[in-house]
Amino acid sequence: MAKTMGKIALKGLVSLVTGSASGLGSQVRQRLAMKGSKVLAVDINHKTIIEEDVELKSRVSFITGDVSDERFLNDLFTKYPKCDAVVNCAAAYRSYNYLTSYLVSKQAVDVLKNNPINAFGVRGCVINIIGLQEKYDQKYFDEQDVFAQKTGHSFDSLDDKVLALAEDMIANRIRSNSVIVPPNSDLKLFAQLVENIIEDQYIAGQIINMEDESRPYLGTVNDVLAEYHVPPEPKELPLIQEPVTQITQQLPEHKASTGSVGSTRTPLLRIDNKKQ
């Protein structure tokens, strides 16, 4: 693998792309194969795929399976024990995307950690996709609950598991990045961004928002919180100069915020009181 300004060549790398039959995953599959990567293309339905380019087709292994099924994932990584990069495009715009990305990443790490450390001190990388919704309504949360019940997983306990997985990835020199993809994004630009993240060994621990011209995500958290009418965090109270005995006015009681940024019920925040 050529070493150029912190980058490695895609040629010869093995990349796993979930949700590869259409949309984001399809573009990534074709882009990585075009650049010489061996692509493990996973999707629950490959019937719609017609790979016209014979050379690209020779670099892609089409694998049909459900990434929410841990038995399938275990069989997948047993059959394909070599992998350098994982791109989680499956269910990118569905409410349970956070869970499917975790399930794939958890099993992928056991494969990635066996890779030799490259010239930049890295063993591999994982890229998670966060597809933004037009709105997060009751239907969105109901879909989460149905999916959790179907798969036997709990979104409420997922945060701790994700944190433990992140620590495992850091300890094993596996880069992890997330890309926020708004609806109707430029798919070719997205695929190019994924390519750059895989190549550039110094991009790690980033959340990149395509809506923000692909710069590292600075966030519009206040706008998101306002949409759900979450009470703002209290401002710091001024320093009281007078003795406490002279205070006659009782300070208002602060009610804790019901939302927490970076949790699991939506890509950006969690609303625990949504069903009240």
Side-chain angles (χ1 to χ4, degrees), residues 189-209:
L189 176 61
F190 166 76
Q192 181 180 353
L193 176 60
V194 169
E195 174 195 345
N196 291 338
I197 294 173
I198 295 175
E199 289 182 331
D200 194 327
Q201 303 299 284
Y202 296 145
I203 300 179
Q206 298 297 310
I207 303 178
I208 302 171
N209 186 7

Side-chain angles (χ1 to χ4, degrees), residues 17-253:
V17 181
T18 68
S20 59
S22 61
L24 301 173
S26 178
Q27 284 291 327
V28 172
R29 180 194 84 237
Q30 296 177 63
R31 178 88 185 190
L32 299 186
M34 182 178 66
K35 294 294 182 174
S37 176
K38 172 67 176 177
V39 179
L40 305 177
V42 178
D43 201 286
I44 199 167
N45 184 8
H46 279 124
K47 293 181 180 179
T48 59
I49 294 181
I50 301 177
E51 201 73 89
E52 298 179 352
D53 191 307
V54 176
E55 185 177 359
L56 291 186
K57 188 175 181 179
S58 67
R59 298 179 189 148
V60 178
S61 296
F62 293 102
I63 306 161
T64 302
D66 184 352
V67 295
S68 69
D69 184 345
E70 293 185 87
R71 290 174 298 180
F72 162 73
L73 292 174
N74 183 65
D75 292 342
L76 171 67
F77 288 108
T78 299
K79 184 176 181 179
Y80 299 96
K82 170 62 177 174
C83 184
D84 299 291
V86 176
V87 187
N88 284 313
C89 295
Y93 290 102
R94 305 301 293 268
S95 63
Y96 45 82
N97 159 263
Y98 191 76
L99 174 57
T100 55
S101 294
Y102 164 75
L103 293 175
V104 175
S105 299
K106 181 182 68 170
Q107 299 225 28
V109 165
D110 290 334
V111 171
L112 294 169
K113 67 174 58 173
N114 293 324
N115 293 340
I117 297 175
N118 65 21
F120 302 99
V122 177
R123 283 194 167 95
C125 78
V126 174
I127 302 174
N128 294 312
I129 310 305
I130 303 170
L132 290 186
Q133 308 289 319
E134 293 288 352
K135 61 179 180 178
Y136 296 97
D137 54 14
Q138 189 62 45
K139 182 179 178 181
Y140 176 94
F141 295 100
D142 290 343
E143 183 185 50
Q144 268 191 355
D145 293 337
V146 170
F147 186 82
Q149 186 176 26
K150 171 188 171 184
T151 59
H153 293 282
S154 170
F155 281 87
D156 294 329
S157 62
L158 198 53
D159 283 343
D160 291 338
K161 295 178 181 179
V162 170
L163 178 59
L165 178 61
E167 292 174 343
D168 190 24
M169 295 174 71
I170 292 171
N172 285 283
R173 297 173 178 264
I174 300 169
R175 296 185 296 121
S176 178
N177 295 279
S178 296
V179 179
I180 297 176
V181 187
N184 303 316
S185 292
D186 186 325
L187 298 185
K188 291 185 178 180
L189 176 61
F190 166 76
Q192 181 180 353
L193 176 60
V194 169
E195 174 195 345
N196 291 338
I197 294 173
I198 295 175
E199 289 182 331
D200 194 327
Q201 303 299 284
Y202 296 145
I203 300 179
Q206 298 297 310
I207 303 178
I208 302 171
N209 186 7
M210 289 192 64
E211 195 172 38
D212 192 29
E213 299 178 1
S214 298
R215 293 194 298 269
Y217 183 55
L218 301 177
T220 55
V221 175
N222 289 334
D223 294 338
V224 177
L225 294 179
E227 180 182 347
Y228 288 94
H229 308 290
V230 178
E233 293 296 325
K235 295 182 178 180
E236 185 176 345
L237 295 175
L239 181 64
I240 300 175
Q241 302 291 345
E242 299 180 5
V244 177
T245 54
Q246 296 183 20
I247 297 179
T248 58
Q249 182 179 5
Q250 185 178 1
L251 295 177
E253 180 182 355

